[in-house]
Amino acid sequence: REPFSEKLRVPESLTFDDVLLRPMESRVEPDDANVSTRVSKNVQLNIPILSAAMDTVTESGMAIGMAREGGLGVLHRNMDAEMMVHEIERVKRADELVIRREDVVTAKPGQTISDVDEMMERAGVSGAPVVDDDDIVLGIISGTDIRPYLEVGESDEVSEAMTDEVITATRDVSAREALELMYDHKIERVPIVDEDNHLVGLVTMQGILQRREHENAARDEDGRLVCGVAVGPFDRDRAQKADEAGADVIFIDCAHAHNLNVIDTAREIKETVEADVVVGNVGTREAAEELVDFADGIKVGIGPGSICTTRVVSGSGMPQISAVAEVADVASEYDIPVIADGGIRYSGDAIKAIAAGADAVMLGSFFAGTDEAPGRVITMNGKKYKQYRGMGSVGAMRSGGADRYLKDDDEDEEYVPEGVEAATPYKGSLASELHQLVGGMQSGMGYVGAETIPEVKERAKFVRVSSAGQTEGHPHDVMITDEAPNYSPSE
Ligand code: XMP
């Protein structure tokens, strides 16, 4: 047996504050740095950012916001499977070019005009295709058609007021073609029909313009927003449902994915779903080696999170920069993307994680205070906050996610938590937080002379920072008078 004292000849493990990126020769202007990346083998993002699968961070509102900005939201799993399917559908439908038949407000030719007017107002739409009982498109009616009738002939029927020469298109219409039709015919909506003129959907001018506002959005090959979803480490059924609902990336969500039972199930899940499967969390080379034969992405983070107590409770963990580098050593051999999850407080931490070998980063606390996160704003001592809690906290485990920590769900009072429940300052819109985060990462790319994320991984070098160096790196010997949007003295 090796002497016990040998165990104390330990390798050094580093985290964000232990290192800085060494400034290097550069011709890269930060604004020109390209931050697009892959989050998993087949899913491309336009910014290398994910929001955490936590019940105080990512539901459909956050996932829609993240994807519109070019990143990926990962829906949490403290909800039943039916709700999860609903949430995935909300994301996938949010920016769809063609509104599906079941979501299109339609009128019948025999309905009275005042009735349709009320119906459209209730639904918040300004026009509706007119269909017969077989769903065949007969015409289209809009507020402009209705107006002259409202004053004089409220009881007239829709068939009198509707436009019956309808411009339609088929399901494969592109946004550009639909827009051309609208300009050519001075119309604002085009019903989508099948070969027998049955209504199958609707394209609206408003929908097209809304999509244009989000030019940087991360979309699937059909133009829908990308959506990630977390499933329990043994939840084959749920993974199946998430896949059928259209999730692009399924995250096997476990605090210790080097558990061999978790890996066996994850491998089985990968065989049955079309979506990419990301497995995590791990923090070592040995764990990564178990995953490379099937995972489409590997997520790294054992205990770095702001609300985590894993390291103090279990005595186990890996400082995050070293963990990312170890895993990336293995994953890069197999061209598998790596996601650095947890512990990121500043944009500088995020770009350090990329330099250590990650392709993307996942954040919880950074986004929990935004409008897009679930939960309401609370005021304490005149300051605004939102709730943020660890998925291993007692409250979150009670809501259903104990298996993330490989614990039984029915222990109730007996939980041994690995996270805390907290409040985080209210931050306003997600878009402005992301602007600061991505802008800071681009600054880092300028300092290391890297034009792309793969170049950061390739080129960037670290220097070691002493505690004096760390103090020097923060504002010091001054009293901050105006808070910066990307630095809070209390942090
Ligand atoms: P940040 O630092 O961005 O971290 O707030 C978010 C990540 O932390 C992980 N997480 C936990 N880890 N106990 C833990 O040990 C917990 O209760 C807990 N909840 C979340 C998770 O990986 C998340 O993405």
Side-chain angles (χ1 to χ4, degrees):
R1 177 176 66 71
E2 193 181 57
F4 287 112
S5 55
E6 279 302 307
K7 289 191 193 192
L8 296 176
R9 292 187 195 281
V10 286
E12 187 172 55
S13 261
L14 303 174
T15 192
F16 300 106
D17 280 349
D18 295 321
V19 290
L20 277 171
L21 297 173
R22 186 180 172 86
M24 295 167 81
E25 184 181 272
S26 172
R27 280 191 195 278
V28 178
E29 310 300 337
D31 286 347
D32 299 335
N34 176 346
V35 288
S36 63
T37 194
R38 265 182 338 157
V39 67
S40 56
K41 280 189 182 163
N42 303 296
V43 177
Q44 192 78 25
L45 301 180
N46 293 324
I47 59 171
I49 317 280
L50 286 76
S51 65
M54 301 174 70
D55 61 5
T56 46
V57 181
T58 310
E59 290 181 351
S60 53
M62 175 65 75
I64 291 168
M66 286 296 300
R68 282 182 174 159
E69 297 295 326
L72 181 75
V74 183
L75 298 168
H76 72 83
R77 60 189 179 87
N78 275 1
M79 58 179 101
D80 61 29
E82 201 181 320
M83 185 70 181
M84 172 197 72
V85 167
H86 181 70
E87 289 281 282
I88 295 170
E89 287 173 350
R90 282 178 78 168
V91 181
K92 298 306 290 182
R93 289 181 186 182
D95 276 1
E96 234 176 7
L97 175 65
V98 178
I99 303 167
R100 287 163 195 236
R101 172 63 189 96
E102 60 266 35
D103 299 329
V104 178
V105 177
T106 55
K108 286 275 150 67
Q111 242 177 314
T112 65
I113 287 175
S114 58
D115 196 21
V116 169
D117 185 47
E118 260 177 49
M119 179 185 79
M120 294 201 309
E121 174 140 5
R122 259 201 319 274
V125 299
S126 56
V130 183
V131 293
D132 69 11
D133 290 340
D134 294 326
D135 226 21
I136 288 182
V137 177
L138 304 174
I140 192 154
I141 188 153
S142 71
T144 325
D145 301 324
I146 289 177
R147 222 164 293 130
Y149 287 83
L150 278 183
E151 280 141 38
V152 283
E154 285 206 351
S155 56
D156 284 334
E157 291 188 353
V158 165
S159 55
E160 307 244 328
M162 72 185 189
T163 305
D164 47 17
E165 278 176 26
V166 201
I167 308 296
T168 58
T170 49
R171 210 190 284 263
D172 54 2
V173 71
S174 70
R176 177 185 289 267
E177 289 162 350
L179 207 55
E180 273 170 16
L181 279 176
M182 291 180 196
Y183 284 137
D184 290 349
H185 298 277
K186 299 191 171 47
I187 52 176
E188 290 194 358
R189 52 188 68 73
V190 176
I192 304 299
V193 293
D194 65 11
E195 58 277 14
D196 301 320
N197 212 30
H198 291 112
L199 184 70
V200 293
L202 183 73
V203 177
T204 68
M205 172 85 81
Q206 198 193 8
I208 293 179
L209 296 181
Q210 236 168 25
R211 279 165 62 98
R212 285 203 168 172
E213 269 180 44
H214 308 291
E215 274 187 328
N216 202 36
R219 299 184 187 281
D220 64 18
E221 55 194 17
D222 298 324
R224 301 178 303 169
L225 297 176
V226 292
C227 179
V229 61
V231 303
F234 305 113
D235 213 339
R236 301 171 183 82
D237 213 40
R238 212 163 148 122
Q240 201 63 46
K241 289 191 170 115
D243 192 45
E244 282 159 17
D248 300 272
V249 192
I250 293 173
F251 289 74
I252 309 296
D253 181 38
C254 183
H256 182 38
H258 199 178
N259 176 300
L260 297 178
N261 299 325
V262 171
I263 295 177
D264 289 346
T265 320
R267 191 180 277 112
E268 274 175 43
I269 289 175
K270 167 64 194 166
E271 277 163 20
T272 61
V273 297
E274 268 181 41
D276 272 7
V277 173
V278 170
V279 186
N281 279 11
V282 295
T284 61
R285 177 186 316 281
E286 302 80 67
E289 274 158 5
E290 298 287 338
L291 302 176
V292 286
D293 67 306
F294 72 97
D296 297 309
I298 302 179
K299 194 150 67 69
V300 181
I302 308 288
S306 58
I307 34 50
C308 298
T309 53
T310 291
R311 294 184 190 170
V312 278
V313 169
S314 73
S316 176
M318 276 289 280
Q320 183 71 341
I321 282 283
S322 290
V324 168
E326 272 202 23
V327 171
D329 276 346
V330 179
S332 60
E333 294 279 303
Y334 296 82
D335 199 27
I336 299 173
V338 170
I339 300 153
D341 172 18
I344 291 171
R345 303 145 304 164
Y346 301 108
S347 47
D349 295 341
I351 198 69
K352 287 177 195 175
I354 304 274
D359 296 83
V361 293
M362 176 180 264
L363 299 90
S365 72
F366 205 89
F367 299 132
T370 63
D371 294 322
E372 282 78 355
R376 58 187 180 84
V377 177
I378 40 183
T379 307
M380 288 188 291
N381 299 329
K383 282 199 157 179
K384 290 179 172 173
Y385 298 87
K386 285 188 88 163
Q387 192 201 11
Y388 181 46
R389 66 181 186 185
M391 292 301 276
S393 65
V394 171
M397 287 214 269
R398 264 199 199 124
S399 306
D403 55 349
R404 183 173 199 271
Y405 299 86
L406 304 168
K407 307 259 172 79
D408 291 338
D409 258 336
D410 56 8
E411 282 180 80
D412 208 18
E413 299 297 307
E414 298 294 331
Y415 283 127
V416 179
E418 290 185 27
V420 296
E421 303 185 51
T424 186
Y426 168 66
K427 289 183 167 170
S429 83
L430 172 69
S432 69
E433 284 305 294
L434 280 173
H435 175 75
Q436 293 299 333
L437 180 59
V438 174
M441 293 177 78
Q442 287 176 306
S443 297
M445 293 169 78
Y447 281 104
V448 300
E451 242 163 16
T452 64
I453 295 293
E455 259 182 61
V456 177
K457 290 168 51 177
E458 208 56 43
R459 265 178 78 88
K461 293 188 166 38
F462 287 109
V463 292
R464 183 71 203 270
V465 181
S466 65
S467 70
Q470 206 204 318
T471 309
E472 183 184 64
H474 284 259
H476 51 86
D477 305 314
V478 293
M479 196 177 79
I480 294 178
T481 51
D482 292 291
E483 224 172 272
N486 53 1
Y487 183 83
S488 163
S490 59
E491 279 172 4

